[in-house]
Amino acid sequence: MKIIACIKQVPDSEAKVKAEGGQVTWGDAPLVINPFDEYAVEGALQQKEAVGGTVTALCIGPESAREALKHALAMGADEAILVSDPALTEIDSVAAARVLAAAIKKVGDADMIVFGRQTLDNGSGLTTAQVARVLGLPLLGLAGQIKVEEGSVRVERVIEEGRVTVSARMPVVLSVVQSIGEPRYPSFMGIRKASKANIPVWSLADLGVEAPATVVKRTELMNPPVDETKVEMITGETPEAIAEALVEKILAEKVL
Amino acid sequence: MKTFVYVDHFKGEIQPASWEAIGLGKTLGSVSAVVFGSGVDDVVKAAFEYGADEVFVADDPALADFRAEPYASTFSALASAQSPDLILFPITARTRELAAMSAVDLNTGVLTDISAVEMEGDKLVATRPIYEGKVLEKTVCSAKPVMASIRPRFFPKPERDESKSGTATKVEVKSEALTTVEGYSASEAAVNLGDAPVIVSGGRGVSNNPSLTPPDGMDEKDAEVWRAHQGFALIGELANVLGGAVGASRAAVDGGYIPYAHQVGQTGKVVTPDLYIACGISGAIQHLVGMRNSKVVVAINKDADAPIFTQARYGVVGDLFKIVPALTAEFKKKLGK
C-alpha cells in the first residue's frame, strides 16, 4: 500500500507569536512539524505496519521546511518530498489543495493520503476536504481509528455528537484525530537516517502547474486585546465561607 | 446583500449557531436558509421562525447521513443557480468539510471561524483567530460567493417567532456518494462545549483526593482513574447546577479520566463561555489558548503559582474536593435550585 502523509511546518506551540509591523513574528522560537500532522505521520506508519507498504511525507513550504520532513523521516517515513516555489508564499487553502493534488498525482498510485486535522498557524482545517474534492477521491474526515481490508478503508469518525463508522474504497483521503494514538518519538536510527536523506524539491514547473489563483487575502493583523484584569484571590476560614464569597462575586458579574 | 445560511443539524438536533448566522445575515440583507437531510420538516419550520425569508430544502433519504460529497454537490449546484453574495455556516465538523468542498466547486474561498464582520463598501471583512488565537487577522475573499463559517456565541441569536412560517423551495439532490455510513454510537457522550454558556473543567488534580480509598484489588493506575471519576462526578454536579458542560485538560484526557470529547485546548476544543471554572488544572499553554477568551474565568488549584491564575479573574488556592461541593451547595441555594 502506498501512503502519503501531508505535513506542514509551523512555529512551536510554546512560541510567543505576535503581530508586529504587519507581520506575524515568533522571535527565536523553533519551527516544528505541525503537532496535528505528527498524528498524520503516526496514522500512516500504523497502516504501513498493519498491511505493508511505504509512507511518503509531503510538504509545501520554504527550504527550511526540510526539517519538518526530516522529523517525519526520523519517525519512520520512507521518503520525503518538499514542494517549494516562490509563488507559493501567500496562498489560500484552495490554492494549496490544488498544488498538493498535483504533487500527489506526481508521486503517483497513492492508496491513502493522510492529513492532520488542522494546522496551528492558519488553522482553517479546510485543506483535507479540498484535496479530496480536487482529486475526486472519497473523504474520510476526523478518523480516530483506521482499518484497511480488501481495498476498503473503514474509519471511526470522531465528532462532537459521538463516533460514526464510515467506509470507502481506496484510494481515499483521510484526516486523523488524536485518538489514533500518540505519535512515536523518532528513534536514534531514524534520526541518523533522516539526517542523511535526500529530499527532492519540486517547483510548480516540476509539477507542471501554474500558480493557482488565491482569493482569500489578509488585510490586517492584530494582537488580541490584552485582558488587564488581575486575579482576585478569594480566601476564607472554611470552604463554605470561600464558596459564599466566590458565588457572590460570580453572580455580580451577571454572566449566569 | 443576498445571504445563504446553511442550517446544520445532527439527526434533527440543530446547531444553535445556525440561528446566530441567520441573525448576522439579516443585518446585511435578505436571508435564505438551506436545510439538507431526511425528514427535516421541523428544521425547516424552525428556520422560518428564526427569521429566514425563504428556505431551500433537500429532503431525501440519500441525505439521511451527512456525507461530504453528496452534500457538497447538492449545495454547489444550488449556490450556482441562485448566486448568493454570501454563504454563512455555523462551524462544525460537517460544515467545515461541506464549505471546503463547495469552495473548490465554486472557485471561491472560505473565511473560517470568524468572530466579527464589517462592511467596507460592498466588501465583507471578517475577523478570525490565527496561531491558536495568539494573533487575529482581518481577511477578505475576492471571489463570489464569499463563504464564511461563524464561531458559536459571537453573533446575537435572533428571537424565535413561532407565528412566522413559509413554504420551502425544493432543491434537486445530487446523490452520488463515495462513502458509506455504517453506524453511529454516542459513546463519547454528546458534549457540546462550543455552545455551552458555562464550562466546569477538571485537570490532573481531579485524581488527587487522598481521602478516598479505592475498592480492594485495584492496581495503582486503576485506582487513579477511579479517584478521578469520583472527582469528575463533583465537577459534573457543579456544571449541572449551572446548566453548563464538563470540560477537561489534556492531562485528564491522556490519563484516561474522561473521553477526548471533553478536552479544552489547542488539541481539543477552543471555547469562549461566559463562565469557565478550572478545577485542578495547572494551566499548560495548550490549555490556556483554548479557554482564555472566556468572559469570566475562575481557577481553583492547590498550587498558588499555577499558571492558570494568570488567566483567571477569581482564584481560590485550596482543595477542589472541598471547594467544588461547597460551590455547588452555595449556587443551589442562591439560584433557588
Side-chain angles (χ1 to χ4, degrees):
Chain A
M1 189 165 68
K2 192 159 178 180
I3 309 168
I4 299 178
C6 295
I7 66 166
K8 195 177 178 187
Q9 190 184 41
V10 297
D12 187 81
S13 181
E14 305 282 332
K16 293 199 165 38
V17 181
K18 283 188 300 216
E20 234 170 5
Q23 298 285 325
V24 179
T25 62
W26 50 85
D28 52 8
L31 289 164
V32 297
I33 181 172
N34 176 45
F36 294 102
D37 297 344
E38 284 186 72
Y39 291 93
V41 176
E42 174 62 33
L45 292 172
Q46 286 174 7
Q47 291 314 307
K48 173 189 162 176
E49 285 159 1
V51 291
T54 60
V55 173
T56 303
L58 178 65
C59 178
I60 299 180
E63 221 15 67
S64 64
R66 278 178 189 281
E67 293 306 314
L69 286 167
K70 281 186 186 165
H71 185 91
L73 288 169
M75 284 175 73
D78 299 279
E79 56 169 0
I81 296 158
L82 178 64
V83 176
S84 200
D85 196 295
L88 297 176
T89 39
E90 297 276 331
I91 53 171
D92 66 17
S93 69
V94 174
R98 293 195 195 283
V99 173
L100 280 171
I104 289 161
K105 279 192 194 151
K106 186 171 160 76
V107 172
D109 302 318
D111 299 295
M112 186 184 280
I113 300 136
V114 191
F115 286 79
R117 69 180 299 165
Q118 67 186 102
T119 59
L120 281 194
D121 51 0
N122 183 286
S124 68
L126 299 168
T127 312
T128 312
Q130 290 174 333
V131 167
R133 195 62 166 179
V134 173
L135 292 171
L137 295 180
L139 169 68
L140 298 172
L142 306 177
Q145 244 182 64
I146 306 170
K147 196 159 172 47
V148 174
E149 46 190 20
E150 293 166 15
S152 282
V153 182
R154 176 175 294 116
V155 303
E156 292 281 311
R157 168 176 166 84
V158 182
I159 56 173
E160 282 185 346
E161 293 85 358
R163 286 173 173 253
V164 185
T165 309
V166 194
S167 65
R169 299 288 299 170
M170 290 201 278
V172 297
V173 176
L174 286 166
S175 70
V176 299
V177 297
Q178 285 80 344
S179 5
I180 203 84
E182 280 303 302
R184 63 198 66 190
Y185 288 107
S187 66
F188 178 68
M189 287 300 288
I191 293 167
R192 273 186 52 172
K193 196 188 83 188
S195 70
K196 290 192 222 139
N198 171 38
I199 300 177
V201 181
W202 292 350
S203 66
L204 288 177
D206 293 327
L207 297 178
V209 294
E210 302 274 316
T214 278
V215 299
V216 175
K217 292 201 172 78
R218 176 184 299 161
T219 59
E220 201 183 325
L221 268 179
M222 297 156 290
N223 290 305
V226 184
D227 190 357
E228 297 288 352
T229 53
K230 274 193 75 181
V231 60
E232 181 180 341
M233 299 310 277
I234 310 290
T235 52
E237 290 294 314
T238 62
E240 289 69 30
I242 292 171
E244 194 180 338
L246 181 55
V247 166
E248 194 172 310
K249 294 278 184 191
I250 293 170
L251 292 176
E253 295 278 353
K254 305 231 173 293
V255 289
L256 290 175
Chain B
M1 178 152 0
K2 178 172 164 183
T3 300
F4 271 26
V5 170
Y6 178 79
V7 179
D8 184 58
H9 65 96
F10 185 77
K11 301 185 186 293
E13 194 73 35
I14 301 161
Q15 200 67 33
S18 306
W19 311 136
E20 294 157 18
I22 288 183
L24 172 60
K26 297 283 273 188
T27 66
L28 304 168
S30 71
V31 170
S32 308
V34 180
V35 176
F36 290 177
S38 180
V40 289
D41 290 350
D42 288 349
V43 183
V44 169
K45 181 169 175 287
F48 279 116
E49 291 173 357
Y50 276 103
D53 300 297
E54 62 177 338
V55 177
F56 291 99
V57 63
D59 195 329
D60 192 290
L63 301 179
D65 290 305
F66 173 83
R67 288 173 298 174
E69 294 85 5
Y71 269 60
S73 298
T74 304
F75 193 87
S76 300
L78 171 68
S80 293
Q82 297 289 329
S83 313
D85 303 299
L86 172 66
I87 304 173
L88 296 175
F89 299 83
I91 191 75
T92 65
R94 291 172 293 279
T95 62
R96 216 179 272 280
E97 295 172 355
L98 168 60
M101 287 192 173
S102 280
V104 171
D105 298 349
L106 301 168
N107 274 308
T108 185
V110 191
L111 315 177
T112 58
D113 304 276
I114 67 172
S115 55
V117 299
E118 56 201 288
M119 296 303 297
E120 283 181 8
D122 63 348
K123 207 166 59 185
L124 180 130
V125 183
T127 302
R128 61 183 297 268
I130 52 174
Y131 294 89
E132 312 162 72
K134 292 171 184 168
V135 177
L136 302 176
E137 69 170 0
K138 287 192 181 177
T139 174
V140 296
C141 175
S142 58
K144 280 280 168 75
V146 174
M147 301 175 85
S149 60
I150 66 162
R151 296 174 72 182
R153 299 168 38 75
F154 274 84
F155 300 94
K157 185 171 156 183
E159 287 295 317
R160 183 173 194 163
D161 178 351
E162 294 192 11
S163 70
K164 285 188 184 163
S165 64
T167 308
T169 308
K170 285 200 168 57
V171 173
E172 193 195 336
V173 175
K174 311 274 180 194
S175 60
E176 96 287 2
L178 300 177
T179 63
T180 310
V181 174
E182 298 177 353
Y184 162 66
S185 82
S187 57
E188 295 204 6
V191 189
N192 203 339
L193 292 173
D195 289 310
V198 176
I199 296 174
V200 187
S201 283
R204 200 191 294 278
V206 166
S207 67
N208 266 343
N209 190 351
S211 67
L212 290 175
T213 312
D216 285 343
M218 268 192 186
D219 66 21
E220 208 173 305
K221 177 66 198 166
D222 286 346
E224 174 191 335
V225 172
W226 180 86
R227 281 201 179 92
H229 286 166
Q230 320 300 312
F232 267 109
L234 299 178
I235 284 170
E237 284 166 23
L238 178 55
N240 218 0
V241 169
L242 297 172
V246 173
S249 71
R250 178 171 172 172
V253 173
D254 287 351
Y257 304 170
I258 190 162
Y260 169 70
H262 293 268
Q263 188 174 322
V264 171
Q266 166 210 311
T267 51
K269 191 90 186 158
V270 175
V271 299
T272 53
D274 295 327
L275 176 60
Y276 189 89
I277 305 181
C279 310
I281 294 177
S282 63
I285 179 76
Q286 91 100 26
H287 187 76
L288 299 183
V289 298
M291 47 62 75
R292 64 180 163 196
N293 290 320
S294 306
K295 225 174 256 168
V296 175
V297 175
V298 176
I300 302 164
N301 205 295
K302 278 202 309 202
D303 176 8
D305 295 325
I308 189 76
F309 288 118
T310 65
Q311 301 294 324
R313 184 157 318 163
Y314 302 109
V316 176
V317 177
D319 181 350
L320 76 94
F321 304 102
K322 299 203 170 90
I323 306 289
V324 171
L327 274 176
T328 305
E330 184 67 17
F331 272 120
K332 264 188 191 159
K333 202 161 87 190
K334 288 281 161 60
L335 298 171
K337 291 188 181 175

